[in-house]
Amino acid sequence: MSLESRFKSDLEKEKKLTPLLDSYYKSKLKQYSFVRVSDLKQQHKGIDLLFKHKEKIASFYIDEKAQLDYINEDLPTFAFELSYLKNGKEKEGWLFDKKKKTEFYSLITAIYSDEPSSYTSCKITLVNRVKLLAFLNKRGLDKNNIVVKPKQHGKHIINGLREKDEGYLYFSKTNKAEQPINLILRLDFLIRNGLAKRLV
């Protein structure tokens, strides 16, 4: 599958997933209203949703990230993008990108589907991006010292994280054209350290 056709396929999956996500946001975040952002410039800045508090003057920029490659699977981890290739050139991933205005990630996992055209359930974990970046920085994991391109495809242990119960690096050299380098973090590790909350 080409990069363009893969992108279109992911967009179709996202559209089909949206009604389920919206129903969860409405039922679980009753103190907030939300607006889906359709402006491409805003989306490129990491804003898919705007959560607005109904009583306080507060709003938050949300970037939705869904594990659409793992339908009917419940993975304990999530991939945070550090870098990727575009037209043969290395680009910065969304985690450390200062141009992104994201305040929270809405991580969608355990997406289940009875039929190809509809999704029946999923899990949503809200991650505070500012807290996450500060936590990683305290562990010595920042933009300058974490993104070292591995030579071999697969999992790589990094200083600052315990592989079994916290996280590791993963270099997808062979199975994706973008060859992403991702920081793989366990969801329960994020929740345990006050960086995330399970919404559903």
Side-chain angles (χ1 to χ4, degrees):
M1 185 184 287
S2 72
L3 198 58
E4 188 178 341
S5 59
R6 180 187 171 87
F7 180 71
K8 285 180 180 176
S9 173
D10 283 349
L11 278 180
E12 283 302 311
K13 289 178 184 176
E14 285 172 12
K15 282 182 185 176
K16 290 171 185 172
L17 185 59
T18 296
L20 177 64
L21 298 178
D22 287 356
S23 70
Y24 282 141
Y25 294 141
K26 283 176 186 174
S27 64
K28 301 295 181 180
L29 291 170
K30 292 182 179 176
Q31 70 273 38
Y32 289 90
S33 61
F34 67 92
V35 178
R36 286 203 164 270
V37 175
S38 56
D39 181 72
L40 283 177
K41 285 184 180 179
Q42 293 292 87
Q43 288 179 351
H44 287 148
K45 290 178 182 177
I47 307 169
D48 292 318
L49 287 162
L50 184 64
F51 283 179
K52 294 182 178 180
H53 201 284
K54 290 179 179 177
E55 295 177 7
K56 301 174 186 176
I57 303 173
S59 59
F60 302 97
Y61 295 140
I62 315 296
D63 191 359
E64 283 182 327
K65 302 289 183 187
Q67 287 182 339
L68 292 167
D69 289 339
Y70 302 96
I71 303 300
N72 295 326
E73 292 183 56
D74 188 359
L75 301 184
T77 58
F78 206 93
F80 292 78
E81 186 184 70
L82 302 179
S83 70
Y84 64 98
L85 292 182
K86 184 176 181 181
N87 300 323
K89 293 183 179 180
E90 191 166 350
K91 299 284 186 178
E92 184 175 27
W94 45 261
L95 178 60
F96 289 119
D97 188 349
K98 289 184 178 177
K99 294 175 186 172
K100 303 293 186 193
K101 293 187 174 182
T102 308
E103 293 173 286
F104 286 86
Y105 297 115
S106 180
L107 305 184
I108 298 112
T109 60
I111 304 166
Y112 283 89
S113 173
D114 290 340
E115 304 169 13
S117 60
S118 65
Y119 297 106
T120 54
S121 66
C122 67
K123 292 179 180 176
I124 300 175
T125 306
L126 294 176
V127 179
N128 185 313
R129 185 183 186 224
V130 174
K131 285 185 178 180
L132 173 60
L133 293 180
F135 181 90
L136 292 173
N137 189 56
K138 275 188 179 179
R139 291 281 188 100
L141 301 169
D142 59 26
K143 178 181 175 179
N144 297 320
N145 60 22
I146 197 174
V147 188
V148 178
K149 188 159 190 174
K151 292 178 181 176
Q152 292 182 323
H153 171 85
K155 183 190 291 187
H156 297 268
I157 297 169
I158 53 174
N159 292 329
L161 289 174
R162 294 191 303 270
E163 178 205 348
K164 287 188 177 180
D165 65 341
E166 294 184 343
Y168 53 87
L169 275 187
Y170 196 92
F171 179 32
S172 301
K173 187 176 183 181
T174 57
N175 62 350
K176 290 191 177 181
E178 311 99 289
Q179 295 191 16
I181 300 173
N182 291 319
L183 179 62
I184 309 297
L185 297 176
R186 290 188 66 91
L187 295 170
D188 59 359
F189 162 66
L190 296 173
I191 293 168
R192 196 168 62 245
N193 284 280
L195 310 174
K197 289 183 179 180
R198 175 65 50 77
L199 184 65
V200 182

